[in-house]
Amino acid sequence: MELEGLSKAVSSGSVETRPEILEGYGAGNGGGNAAPAAVAFPQDAVEVRSVVAWANDRKVKLIPVSSGRPHAGSNPRGEGFVAVDLSRMNRVVRKERRNRVAIIEPGVTFDQLQAELSKVGLRAMTPLVPRSGKSVLAAYLDRTPTLVPRAQWDLSDPLLCTEVVMGSGELFRTGCAAGPGTLEEQWATGQAQKNPMGPSAFDFFRLVQGSRGSMGIVTWASFKCELLPRAHELLMVAAESLEPLAEVVYQVARARLGEECLLLDGNALEALTGSDGGPSYALLLGVAGFDYRPDQRVSYQRKGIERIVQGEGLRLSRSLCRTGGRRILELLSTPADVSWKDSAGSHLDVYFLTTLDRAPSLLRAMRAGAASAGFDPYSIAVYVQPQVGGRVAHLEATLMFSPDDRPAAEAAAAAAAAAAAENGAYFSRPAGGPPDIAYRDRPLLVRTLRRAKKVFDPEGVLNPDALFSREVV
Amino acid sequence: MTTTTGTPILRDEVYAELAGIVGEENATREPAILDTYAFQYIAEIVVGDSYMGRPGVVVLPGSAEEVQAIVRLCNREGLKYKAVSTGWGAYGAAPEDGLVQLDLRRMNRIVEIDTRNMYAVVEPYVVGTTLQAEAMKVGLNTHIVGAGANTSVLASATSVMGQGTTGVSTGFSNRNLLGFEWVMPDGELLRVGSFEDSGEWFTGDGPGPSLRGLIRGFAGAFGGLGVFTKCAVKLYPWYGPARLELRGVSPDYDLDIPENHAAYIIDFPGWEEMKDFGNMVGEAEIAFSMCHNAPAPAIASMTDSNLSFYELWKGGLFANMKHTLEVVITARDAEEFAYQEGVLRDIEKRCRGREIVSSHYDLHYFADLVLGLARGMRKAGLRTTARSALPILRFVLEALRKGRTPDAFAKTLYLALVKQNLQARGIFRFGGSFWTSMGALTSWDCCIENAKEGERIKRSWIEKGVLMDDGAENAWGGLYESGCYGHLEELAVYDQSDPVCKEGGIGFVVDTVKATIEKHLAFSLNAVGDPMHAAYSPHVFYYHRHLAGIKEEFDPGALSDATFYIDREGTEEFIRALEAGEEIDMRL
Ligand SMILES: Cc1cc2nc3c(=O)[nH]c(=O)nc-3n(C[C@H](O)[C@H](O)[C@H](O)COP(=O)(O)OP(=O)(O)OC[C@H]3O[C@@H](n4cnc5c(N)ncnc54)[C@H](O)[C@@H]3O)c2cc1C
Ligand SMILES: Cc1cc2nc3c(=O)[nH]c(=O)nc-3n(C[C@H](O)[C@H](O)[C@H](O)COP(=O)(O)OP(=O)(O)OC[C@H]3O[C@@H](n4cnc5c(N)ncnc54)[C@H](O)[C@@H]3O)c2cc1C
């Protein structure tokens, strides 16, 4: 590949071709992906545009990467592409208490962000135990579930406005950040880039989100922040099965009580806390008070939740896996160097969306699927994350295994995913299951997505195989 | 054969084929009926005439399959078509004659209410009030736009905008849209979201990118991108009774405000305190509704005739009490109510707010009422206060004679905000019509700046005699999503039969558009249609190119009427004219 033009597109020394560096963007932990021909590290949107222009000229495929340490196998990718690593663009552009908002570049990590936000009395919504070095923007761009369903009005939350370089090379801004006026001019009239809609009659950010880098490269984004609690505690409920806990979640969601709200099974809890003795299933529910009457808020919310829990014949637990609520609360959103999922050495995930009432039967189907492939169904770790105020449930099944058992585990994960799909699982993020699982029988959907991509990336330079294979239908 | 305006007249064979699809009784070419689709609210501002174009035919399909067959036929014959659900404005029609109008009123079923997962699936003619009544039976509620409870839920969610008075707790129509069923411009039928895989409509996003982003943004395509035949919308918890029992007859409704619910109008010293109050109430998540209605429409909705409105208004005191916000609390139980009202009053104190209307009357309220009125009188001055005193006294005595209790205003307010049933009363009755402006969805602080600027511009148009004198401050809007963003639009009322108003009204709109661009007051809700795109797009990353890209890719024949959506050529012609320093006619 001719890379001279690429070197000109970015500042000097910002193109890497050393094999040992490229390796890191390829196969990783057994993901089996090809390494890129080069990695470019743009410093700003101007350089991103130059790289995209170069790629359009040369018909070279680009794959954006924001997390300094990309997940193994993040993308099904062929050969002969260039990775665009945005991790050096890592400024927190703005953080603002009054409007509860921050603007960040792609390289900003959860560790870095939280330290900055707490200074102004805010916090960011995190996925369950984000890995250290994980890009906040990449997580939000992938609709990775966060822990507080009450704060999530739309599945797209907390992502709001974006600046994005389209596959065509054009620079664009979405939501009210688009203008009229520069960001500075908008700030001067009290604006805060918090309306994600538009501009006009399309939501380009919705097409970029979930596209795995195939519609545009985001160079900054604003997102909703929540207030830092003044009082905050975790309520925990253990149960023999998922059903009564799901019932509690429904009632709590109806009453708009609580903050963090998630369900874990014993395997997940044990791996997360590093202690054994986990219950079959547990519900974790944060309650908090903020700037106004924090203790009164915690008190009435706690009472409301207790009534619901008792109504289901359950009671609150003081600790789970010999770990108290305060410690578990801390564990949930603190970035970790080593994934809790790797306690056996290695892991594979199957994840999709459903509703809470259907989660138990889907779980049974997945267990049966994994068992049919010879995997111990009761060693699967389960995480259910209610989203959008309890209307949607992210169901995540993790197969934990020792690295030697990978082939068997892969077969079991595929069988579990197939069983889930057969029973109505919705693979809204296509990487949650085996390649093409979300698109196999949907020719019109595939055609529509291809047409949409053509509008914004006419030459198809951005991560063209990110969503489905060429032969999908 | 063509009409006087040059559009082809529908051939008999094509009419017969259309009638064959929907049944004879559901198709018509009767001029008298066709004209009812052309006589539209704000047509005089949009096209400078009381009538939009007359459709060539109206068909009433009864199912998505029939819609598909009609759209395919239009594609085969090269006919323009446009869907309409409830038909509240000019945007349901086109300026030129001859299009195939799909009136979706037969598709009026609530397909499903998923009580546990809090969403509903509706067809196009399900209106806000119907869905609300059904939802309340199961402890849920729906977002209803400010247009009123009698407009289509689906039209707002898929195709128009979505501002409504309860947005702080029920969001915005764009954001409430889950999945949808879409007869695409070429007649293909796509179900977007979770339904195809799961048989349930709980989300509209994915797999992968969300196609919600293709069909709408801040605004929708206004019929310019095919036809939506079904959609799922989020429902929200409702902590009131299964049925709100109304007594009396329109417009004098009465009801009992449910236990642990309350309604307030809070008066402030000025705009800055209103900014603080909105931000604080939003983030405290205590309000079911938090919005602003200007004094004129507020009094209009509390009086039963234009005469009684005018009697109260002409003294001038109320025009001086414009710094107000309305709040409704709907707590689940007494404990939650105590918390929410406690926080509300803490915030009032910090912002020097005074409850001048309250359904929850206690000593605090009566003290506030006296102090709030005193503040209004101080702002108004002695003379105005004196002029206003007698009519107010008369109004109060009349109300007492009718048996009204002191919380009568609060009840009217509660009804207006919860049921959205007073829109027409509050805004149409002054001059027969109204226009709106400003109204960007943005931070609450900037919304207030929009209201201030809108008032300033409007005053000059009132002085010119084009707009009615509604006190100039006639902003309407509120918060959305716990105060994540808000909107305040500047309403303007005018006499639609008066040529001066008809001709001049657009001038007011143009001034507000210029102000939002020059002063960076965010993207106005008027930015619909080619001339408006031309005004905004060069300041907003030339967005029209991408919007036109979508239109051209999915509707290359431009058959789904795009008058209120986008035409690249049209928009660029206007942009060239603006760049050449010409004034362009903002009418379509
Ligand atoms: C092996 C594996 C297991 C996973 N398991 C789970 C799981 O159990 N549960 C779960 O919820 N999620 C899971 N995920 C998804 C993962 O959490 C998300 O992909 C993630 O949040 C973002 O990934 P990343 O940190 O690796 O970032 P990256 O690899 O940097 O980016 C992720 C995607 O976004 C694109 N992208 C990155 N930056 C930009 C940008 N600035 N502009 C445009 N596009 C960009 C990339 O091209 C890529 O397609 C898993 C992913 C993998 C690969
Ligand atoms: C007095 C008044 C106040 C208003 N206030 C508000 C407000 O506060 N907030 C707000 O959001 N809007 C408001 N509007 C605008 C608009 O009327 C509303 O958004 C309304 O809810 C949509 O209902 P409608 O009857 O206008 O819809 P319709 O007339 O049915 O349609 C409106 C538009 O959507 C298209 N459309 C409708 N159904 C379909 C379909 N099934 N498929 C494809 N396209 C379709 C039509 O072609 C048309 O362009 C107001 C209008 C009036 C007259």
Side-chain angles (χ1 to χ4, degrees):
Chain A
M1 193 180 291
E2 185 278 307
L3 295 174
E4 204 189 304
L6 178 63
S7 302
K8 284 197 191 125
V10 289
S11 333
S12 72
S14 300
V15 173
E16 271 291 355
T17 50
R18 281 177 290 171
E20 65 274 23
I21 304 276
L22 301 184
E23 279 287 278
Y25 293 83
N29 333 316
N33 260 320
V39 184
F41 295 88
Q43 316 282 333
D44 56 25
V46 175
E47 292 192 5
V48 173
R49 287 190 75 180
S50 308
V51 172
V52 174
W54 169 82
N56 270 282
D57 245 24
R58 303 267 153 182
K59 311 276 176 290
V60 173
K61 248 187 338 185
L62 297 179
I63 299 186
V65 174
S66 288
S67 288
R69 276 192 304 159
H71 252 308
S74 264
N75 295 286
R77 40 170 92 132
E79 307 254 328
F81 66 94
V82 167
V84 184
D85 188 328
L86 301 143
S87 57
R88 293 187 191 169
M89 293 171 64
N90 61 359
R91 283 184 318 140
V92 176
V93 179
R94 187 174 167 87
K95 48 183 194 281
E96 201 216 321
R97 166 65 184 80
R98 186 171 175 90
N99 286 292
R100 294 168 282 146
V101 67
I103 298 180
I104 52 169
E105 291 184 340
V108 172
T109 63
F110 281 104
D111 331 43
Q112 176 193 355
L113 181 63
Q114 204 40 62
E116 293 261 343
L117 288 181
S118 57
K119 289 184 206 155
V120 293
L122 295 172
R123 64 171 178 153
M125 293 292 94
T126 71
L128 178 62
V129 200
R131 72 178 194 283
S132 298
K134 189 182 185 72
S135 153
V136 177
L137 200 61
Y140 292 171
L141 278 176
D142 198 36
R143 295 196 300 262
T144 310
T146 48
L147 303 175
V148 182
R150 184 191 57 71
Q152 198 187 29
W153 286 75
D154 191 306
L155 202 62
S156 61
D157 276 348
L159 187 66
L160 297 170
C161 304
T162 63
E163 178 181 84
V164 50
V165 177
M166 294 175 172
S168 61
E170 279 178 80
L171 185 76
F172 196 61
R173 288 184 186 166
T174 65
C176 62
T182 61
L183 287 185
E184 290 75 12
E185 285 165 338
Q186 293 178 23
W187 294 333
T189 57
Q191 295 189 64
Q193 298 78 45
K194 282 204 78 179
N195 155 32
M197 290 171 262
S200 188
F202 68 125
D203 275 345
F204 186 52
F205 93 100
R206 290 193 192 278
L207 293 169
V208 173
Q209 195 180 33
S211 77
R212 306 197 61 73
S214 66
M215 291 281 183
I217 301 183
V218 177
T219 50
W220 55 250
S222 64
F223 65 93
K224 287 181 176 179
C225 298
E226 300 300 314
L227 297 182
L228 204 58
R230 302 239 167 162
H232 197 182
E233 55 186 67
L234 189 71
L235 307 181
M236 303 180 289
V237 192
E240 280 306 308
S241 63
L242 207 47
E243 283 85 345
L245 296 178
E247 185 52 43
V248 171
V249 174
Y250 273 126
Q251 291 180 43
V252 166
R254 248 329 161 85
R256 287 204 249 220
L257 294 170
E259 307 299 312
E260 293 80 3
C261 174
L262 61 153
L263 295 150
L264 294 169
D265 79 340
N267 296 329
L269 265 171
E270 288 177 6
L272 203 71
T273 55
S275 308
D276 53 11
S280 299
Y281 292 93
L283 166 63
L284 307 181
L285 264 174
V287 283
F290 304 97
D291 288 14
Y292 313 96
R293 304 184 176 219
D295 298 328
Q296 191 180 353
R297 188 173 196 275
V298 168
S299 155
Y300 90 76
Q301 295 229 343
R302 182 184 230 283
K303 276 190 221 158
I305 291 172
E306 266 170 355
R307 272 195 297 271
I308 292 170
V309 169
Q310 281 161 8
E312 289 307 305
L314 300 167
R315 58 194 176 80
L316 298 181
S317 309
R318 279 178 183 283
S319 66
L320 296 171
C321 299
R322 300 194 302 277
T323 312
R326 189 178 298 271
R327 174 71 189 136
I328 293 183
L329 188 57
E330 192 181 298
L331 281 174
L332 295 180
S333 43
T334 307
D337 288 330
V338 180
S339 171
W340 58 274
K341 296 178 173 180
D342 281 332
S343 52
S346 211
H347 78 272
L348 283 171
D349 301 299
V350 176
Y351 55 94
F352 52 80
L353 295 183
T354 181
T355 48
L356 266 176
D357 45 358
R358 287 176 76 177
S361 64
L362 281 165
L363 197 55
R364 278 194 291 278
M366 275 202 287
R367 285 204 170 110
S372 72
F375 197 86
D376 172 10
Y378 293 96
S379 71
I380 293 176
V382 180
Y383 161 42
V384 182
Q385 179 59 60
Q387 293 189 260
V388 198
R391 292 165 187 81
V392 183
H394 161 89
L395 200 163
E396 184 173 305
T398 302
L399 286 70
M400 301 189 275
F401 53 89
S402 102
D404 301 339
D405 298 336
R406 177 164 283 275
E410 277 175 354
E422 228 161 79
N423 286 276
Y426 177 52
F427 286 86
S428 79
R429 298 155 69 209
D436 290 342
I437 191 159
Y439 299 103
R440 268 197 300 250
D441 309 316
R442 307 287 308 276
L444 178 59
L445 174 65
V446 168
R447 208 158 60 237
T448 306
L449 287 171
R450 284 187 176 140
R451 291 170 80 181
K453 181 170 167 65
K454 208 172 98 195
V455 175
F456 304 100
D457 181 17
E459 297 295 333
V461 296
L462 288 182
N463 215 356
D465 307 312
L467 299 173
F468 36 73
S469 64
R470 262 161 244 192
E471 334 39 73
V472 61
V473 283
Chain B
M1 214 174 21
T2 60
T3 64
T4 46
T5 51
T7 39
I9 282 178
L10 198 65
R11 298 198 322 271
D12 288 344
E13 313 84 87
V14 179
Y15 178 74
E17 215 177 318
L18 281 169
I21 294 169
V22 294
E24 277 298 337
E25 67 283 18
N26 294 314
T28 186
R29 287 191 290 184
E30 277 298 322
I33 296 178
L34 299 181
D35 275 352
T36 64
Y37 289 82
F39 183 65
Q40 290 286 6
Y41 152 71
I42 55 157
E44 63 277 359
I45 300 263
V46 173
V47 292
D49 185 357
S50 302
Y51 285 85
M52 299 291 288
R54 177 194 271 177
V57 56
V58 174
V59 281
L60 276 63
S63 67
E65 290 70 29
E66 290 183 12
V67 171
Q68 238 187 321
I70 296 164
V71 170
R72 287 197 162 129
L73 179 65
C74 291
N75 272 276
R76 193 192 73 202
E77 294 294 321
L79 295 170
K80 273 201 175 174
Y81 61 90
K82 184 161 207 168
V84 68
S85 291
T86 39
W88 256 53
Y91 22 81
E96 79 266 28
D97 292 348
L99 58 67
V100 175
Q101 183 102 54
L102 289 86
D103 177 341
L104 303 174
R105 71 182 58 222
R106 288 174 64 217
M107 299 176 67
N108 61 357
R109 282 157 294 221
I110 296 176
V111 180
E112 180 191 357
I113 291 183
D114 186 326
T115 315
R116 316 197 78 199
N117 300 303
M118 294 192 277
Y119 66 86
V121 184
V122 294
E123 290 187 341
Y125 199 69
V126 172
V127 298
T129 195
T130 310
L131 181 59
Q132 185 181 54
E134 291 304 317
M136 281 182 173
K137 289 180 191 165
V138 291
L140 292 169
N141 194 11
T142 179
H143 177 69
I144 298 181
V145 295
N150 43 349
T151 58
S152 161
V153 173
L154 175 142
S156 280
T158 61
S159 305
V160 193
M161 287 194 181
Q163 302 87 344
T165 55
T166 60
V168 70
S169 70
T170 62
F172 190 87
S173 299
N174 166 319
R175 309 269 294 165
N176 288 330
L177 175 64
L178 300 174
F180 55 93
E181 184 178 78
W182 179 22
V183 175
M184 299 169 74
D186 58 3
E188 293 268 24
L189 187 142
L190 181 66
R191 293 194 186 90
V192 171
S194 54
F195 181 77
E196 291 287 0
D197 290 334
S198 71
E200 294 182 58
W201 288 98
F202 54 84
T203 182
D205 302 304
S210 176
L211 289 173
R212 288 164 69 191
L214 196 66
I215 60 134
R216 73 159 295 170
F218 168 32
F222 286 91
L225 204 61
V227 184
F228 302 99
T229 47
K230 201 185 277 173
C231 80
V233 291
K234 274 172 83 179
L235 296 175
Y236 290 89
W238 166 246
Y239 306 132
R243 196 182 140 90
L244 280 175
E245 296 289 348
L246 301 195
R247 293 183 294 272
V249 282
S250 170
D252 280 337
Y253 288 123
D254 185 25
L255 92 166
D256 296 320
I257 294 183
E259 216 177 326
N260 303 317
H261 290 203
Y264 316 82
I265 298 180
I266 301 157
D267 177 82
F268 297 91
W271 295 112
E272 293 307 309
E273 290 82 359
M274 285 169 71
K275 285 183 181 172
D276 291 345
F277 183 83
N279 285 319
M280 291 181 198
V281 166
E283 72 182 33
E285 299 190 322
I286 52 168
F288 169 76
S289 171
M290 206 274 350
C291 58
H292 171 71
N293 274 293
I299 292 174
S301 44
M302 293 180 183
T303 49
D304 54 13
S305 70
N306 275 356
L307 190 62
S308 55
F309 163 77
Y310 187 65
E311 283 296 313
L312 271 183
W313 181 250
K314 69 180 180 197
L317 174 65
F318 291 115
N320 283 285
M321 296 185 68
K322 62 186 179 186
H323 300 119
T324 57
L325 290 171
E326 298 165 349
V327 173
V328 169
I329 283 180
T330 57
R332 275 177 310 119
D333 54 31
E335 222 177 341
E336 188 172 78
F337 184 81
Y339 169 77
Q340 293 185 343
E341 198 184 50
V343 171
L344 180 75
R345 289 183 165 175
D346 290 350
I347 297 173
E348 280 171 8
K349 203 166 156 194
R350 288 171 67 172
C351 305
R352 293 195 286 153
R354 299 286 176 201
E355 290 171 15
I356 53 171
V357 167
S358 169
S359 57
H360 190 228
Y361 44 97
D362 49 15
L363 266 181
H364 173 105
Y365 163 54
F366 286 116
D368 259 16
L369 178 61
V370 171
L371 293 169
L373 283 173
R375 181 156 66 203
M377 291 175 196
R378 225 172 24 248
K379 284 183 189 169
L382 202 59
R383 234 205 250 160
T384 304
T385 303
R387 244 194 343 250
S388 308
L390 202 59
I392 293 177
L393 192 65
R394 227 182 280 136
F395 178 79
V396 171
L397 289 176
E398 176 64 13
L400 290 175
R401 195 187 59 78
K402 282 187 178 169
R404 297 274 172 82
T405 48
D407 58 354
F409 291 152
K411 286 177 171 179
T412 306
L413 174 69
Y414 180 88
L415 256 182
L417 299 189
V418 175
K419 289 192 70 71
Q420 298 279 344
N421 69 342
L422 292 180
Q423 254 53 28
R425 191 173 169 191
I427 198 67
F428 275 119
R429 73 187 221 191
F430 303 111
S433 197
F434 80 101
W435 181 264
T436 190
S437 64
M438 313 297 287
L441 284 184
T442 181
S443 66
W444 181 241
D445 288 347
C446 186
C447 293
I448 299 268
E449 294 303 320
N450 269 260
K452 284 157 70 176
E453 184 65 13
E455 177 184 356
R456 194 188 62 74
I457 296 170
K458 206 165 85 198
R459 197 175 295 285
S460 70
W461 285 90
I462 292 170
E463 282 160 11
K464 285 183 192 143
V466 170
L467 300 177
M468 206 194 104
D469 185 357
D470 54 1
E473 201 290 290
N474 196 349
W476 170 75
L479 299 177
Y480 299 88
E481 293 187 33
S482 302
C484 182
Y485 48 94
H487 109 281
L488 279 172
E489 56 189 273
E490 189 63 49
L491 307 174
V493 287
Y494 63 92
D495 179 352
Q496 61 180 349
S497 63
D498 180 342
V500 176
C501 306
K502 270 166 79 166
E503 266 305 302
I506 193 75
F508 160 68
V509 178
V510 170
D511 280 359
T512 61
V513 165
K514 284 184 182 156
T516 57
I517 294 169
E518 284 160 14
K519 300 187 175 178
H520 315 121
L521 292 172
F523 195 80
S524 160
L525 50 66
N526 281 142
V528 168
D530 297 340
M532 291 289 181
H533 291 318
Y536 280 97
S537 184
H539 306 277
V540 186
F541 287 83
Y542 287 93
Y543 70 80
H544 78 277
R545 295 176 186 158
H546 309 297
L547 190 62
I550 294 173
K551 173 70 177 170
E552 289 157 4
E553 175 60 40
F554 289 94
D555 187 16
L559 295 178
S560 191
D561 176 70
T563 308
F564 298 84
Y565 186 40
I566 181 85
D567 172 61
R568 188 190 298 267
E569 264 310 297
T571 301
E572 291 187 349
E573 218 167 281
F574 285 122
I575 291 179
R576 283 192 292 275
L578 284 173
E579 280 169 356
E582 297 165 25
E583 282 285 331
I584 61 172
D585 187 348
M586 285 289 184
R587 282 178 286 225
L588 295 166

